[in-house]
Amino acid sequence: MYATASALYIDEMGYAMSRLEIDSDHCEDGNAIHEESSSGQSKMPSTFLDNEIAQITKLKSNPHQQLVQVGTGRPQLPVSPVKMLAGRESNYSGRGRFSSADRCHLLSRYLPVNGPWPIDQMSSRAYVSQFSADGSLFIAGFQGSHIRIYNVDRGWKVQKNILAKNLRWTITDTCLSPDQRYLAYASMSPIVHIVNAGSAETESLANVTEIHDGLDFSSNDYGGYSFGIFCVKFSKDGRELVAGSSDNSIYVYDLEANKISLRILAHTSDVNTVCFADETSHLIYSGSDDSFCKVWDRRCLIAKAKPAGVLMGHLEGITFIDTRGDGRYFISNGKDQTIKLWDIRKMSSNVTCNPGYRSYEWDYRWMDYPPQAKDLTHPCDQSVATYRGHSVLRTLIRCYFSPAFSTGQKYIYTGSHNACVYIYDLVSGAQVATLKHHKSPVRDCSWHPFNTMLVSSSWDGDVVKWEFAGSGDRPASLSKRVWTRHFYDEYI
């Protein structure tokens, strides 16, 4: 019964999407992401990314050749959802089901742009917000010391309300452990706290209802002093934390040994962002206010004590890095108002040139970006592609790849100082959607790993969700329809 109803829902969704496709040429809100030629035939935006990643992305998000030719006898993209469903039922591909690329082609064409629908509203600024890896939980951190964990599958009920301990200025970052049992949170302090995210206590007050373990990153071995942590991430195995700090350093904390295992004086200015490159945790990416992205290979740090490579191209400081997870590609958000895509195979062994462009005084915390700087380019730009349209001012705004499962990572998306969320096509560079609701900067946003849903959080205190839900109707209750990885694997 469940299988029949689930399969029927997918077919109904495909029908709804096909109906929307008829009217999508006149839509400006991002529902349709393909252009139309003068002859009336659909065509994809022109490609501006000439790189291996463009071909990889197309392979992950283009349907099977037999499905492409259904009803036409010749290749034609994009393929109608109805034609794809007909081809699946007729077993044109010989597999009897959609492949992951078929699924991505179908789902990635319809963006989470309808709404928004409110999740929460707080009296203080929202700084960070992220889905858990399986999409069942959502975490939001606010300047007023609150961190909230919402249960997505239970109507966004607040599962845990955490009051941060020893808060300095704001919650700068949060990270859920891979097993979703523990939450690490940081502020402008050298102490990173860990709280039990899965305990029965709904209200988590440090040393009152629960203990918030403090991990001290200011070890005396390194001449420790008061500094702040901007970014903290768990390793894939949950045994380590990597952090970027205001003392220009990268720290790795060994949770089993309960001590710092590595400290790298990595940059000449604040390290705003850091992350492990892939599941192995051998490579670390870092970005700094010195405008450089650096790649660190832990396997040879002891011998070299230098980065494996440096990537130049940003004209201003870097606010965030997101890895594609393959140990090769990542994106960075910069105060030069751009997102850049990087291939670490293009990195240099050291800094080879200085942009030398600055002929003005500018502070992104309170000044607009100078008009004369908008057309400047770095003389030694090593990036693969550059994306423009959003604004990066006042705060460390974050950017991400879209989910691999539902989109094949064919988009990148970011918050913006102008209170919007921007979605760009990775390959064409086109701005395919702009989500407008907030009244203050959107510092963070998160795309559900499996559902067509995106959540944005802003300095106005609002946390809201956006979905693709047919012809603009209100999304049905999550308890009635939850798209899960198991569901798609089983029925698509």
Side-chain angles (χ1 to χ4, degrees), residues 224-378:
Y225 62 94
S226 183
F227 58 87
I229 302 292
F230 289 112
C231 187
V232 61
K233 295 287 182 290
F234 274 98
S235 60
K236 188 67 176 180
D237 60 13
R239 296 178 179 178
E240 294 179 310
L241 285 171
V242 63
S245 71
S246 63
D247 69 344
N248 310 345
S249 300
I250 297 171
Y251 291 89
V252 177
Y253 198 98
D254 187 324
L255 294 171
E256 293 184 341
N258 195 28
K259 66 178 183 179
I260 296 170
S261 60
L262 177 66
R263 187 239 185 178
I264 309 168
L265 186 57
H267 291 267
T268 59
S269 191
D270 293 350
V271 180
N272 296 323
T273 177
V274 64
C275 66
F276 292 108
D278 54 24
E279 294 185 358
T280 68
S281 302
H282 294 316
L283 294 181
I284 296 173
Y285 299 147
S286 64
S288 167
D289 272 340
D290 63 13
S291 81
F292 300 118
C293 296
K294 294 186 178 181
V295 181
W296 306 86
D297 190 336
R298 299 170 65 189
R299 293 165 294 188
C300 56
L301 269 176
I302 296 177
K304 294 177 58 177
K306 293 182 179 179
V310 180
L311 289 158
M312 296 166 284
H314 279 294
L315 296 171
E316 301 286 351
I318 294 158
T319 64
F320 196 71
I321 282 175
D322 185 43
T323 177
R324 192 168 177 271
D326 55 9
R328 182 172 296 173
Y329 295 101
F330 67 92
I331 55 174
S332 60
N333 226 351
K335 297 177 184 178
D336 57 4
Q337 317 303 297
T338 68
I339 292 174
K340 286 187 176 289
L341 172 66
W342 307 92
D343 181 345
I344 69 171
R345 293 171 296 182
K346 295 179 177 289
M347 62 189 179
S348 301
S349 58
N350 51 44
V351 178
T352 56
C353 67
N354 192 306
Y357 67 93
R358 181 68 72 85
S359 60
Y360 50 83
E361 291 297 324
W362 177 67
D363 190 323
Y364 98 119
R365 293 173 295 181
W366 58 277
M367 299 172 69
D368 290 335
Y369 195 60
Q372 63 267 37
K374 292 181 179 179
D375 296 325
L376 294 175
T377 58
H378 196 291

Side-chain angles (χ1 to χ4, degrees), residues 440-472:
S440 298
V442 177
R443 190 179 190 272
D444 208 354
C445 46
S446 186
W447 198 316
H448 193 283
F450 308 121
N451 297 2
T452 52
M453 177 197 302
L454 186 147
V455 175
S456 57
S457 57
S458 166
W459 274 11
D460 59 16
D462 285 359
V463 179
V464 301
K465 66 176 178 177
W466 308 78
E467 292 195 63
F468 175 81
S471 303

Side-chain angles (χ1 to χ4, degrees), residues 35-43:
E35 300 173 348
E36 187 161 297
S37 65
S38 58
S39 63
Q41 296 294 319
S42 294
K43 66 175 185 178

Side-chain angles (χ1 to χ4, degrees), residues 69-109:
Q69 298 180 9
V70 170
T72 64
R74 63 183 186 277
Q76 183 178 354
L77 288 174
V79 183
S80 161
V82 171
K83 289 180 180 177
M84 289 188 67
L85 288 168
R88 183 195 67 180
E89 296 305 311
S90 300
N91 198 21
Y92 270 63
S93 65
R95 294 186 305 268
R97 58 184 296 175
F98 285 155
S99 67
S100 60
D102 297 335
R103 177 186 63 236
C104 288
H105 181 75
L106 185 64
L107 295 179
S108 65
R109 294 169 55 197

Side-chain angles (χ1 to χ4, degrees), residues 30-236:
N31 277 323
I33 63 170
H34 56 276
E35 300 173 348
E36 187 161 297
S37 65
S38 58
S39 63
Q41 296 294 319
S42 294
K43 66 175 185 178
M44 295 303 291
S46 58
T47 298
F48 92 129
L49 179 58
D50 183 18
N51 186 272
E52 178 185 296
I53 191 173
Q55 299 305 317
I56 294 173
T57 303
K58 289 176 181 177
L59 287 172
K60 291 177 65 175
S61 58
N62 280 0
H64 190 277
Q65 191 68 17
Q66 292 294 331
L67 288 175
V68 172
Q69 298 180 9
V70 170
T72 64
R74 63 183 186 277
Q76 183 178 354
L77 288 174
V79 183
S80 161
V82 171
K83 289 180 180 177
M84 289 188 67
L85 288 168
R88 183 195 67 180
E89 296 305 311
S90 300
N91 198 21
Y92 270 63
S93 65
R95 294 186 305 268
R97 58 184 296 175
F98 285 155
S99 67
S100 60
D102 297 335
R103 177 186 63 236
C104 288
H105 181 75
L106 185 64
L107 295 179
S108 65
R109 294 169 55 197
Y110 300 93
L111 303 176
V113 296
N114 290 319
W117 290 271
I119 293 173
D120 206 348
Q121 185 175 43
M122 299 289 283
S123 58
S124 65
R125 296 171 172 177
Y127 265 74
V128 291
S129 57
Q130 282 295 293
F131 280 104
S132 61
D134 67 358
S136 65
L137 302 176
F138 184 82
I139 297 95
F142 301 86
Q143 188 173 20
S145 78
H146 284 280
I147 303 169
R148 289 193 162 182
I149 302 177
Y150 305 87
N151 192 312
V152 178
D153 297 340
R154 295 184 178 179
W156 293 87
K157 179 182 178 181
V158 177
Q159 179 170 299
K160 201 172 190 70
N161 186 38
I162 301 167
L163 190 63
K165 181 180 179 181
N166 298 335
L167 181 74
R168 290 188 185 177
W169 176 244
T170 184
I171 301 295
T172 54
D173 204 6
T174 62
C175 187
L176 200 62
S177 64
D179 61 9
Q180 301 186 178
R181 293 178 59 193
Y182 300 100
L183 180 78
Y185 63 87
S187 68
M188 292 306 295
S189 160
I191 308 296
V192 172
H193 290 93
I194 293 186
V195 62
N196 191 332
S199 70
E201 293 288 346
T202 301
E203 297 294 325
S204 179
L205 307 179
N207 299 329
V208 178
T209 60
E210 293 184 327
I211 300 298
H212 293 199
D213 291 331
L215 311 178
D216 190 355
F217 280 68
S218 59
S219 169
N220 292 329
D221 293 341
Y222 303 118
Y225 62 94
S226 183
F227 58 87
I229 302 292
F230 289 112
C231 187
V232 61
K233 295 287 182 290
F234 274 98
S235 60
K236 188 67 176 180

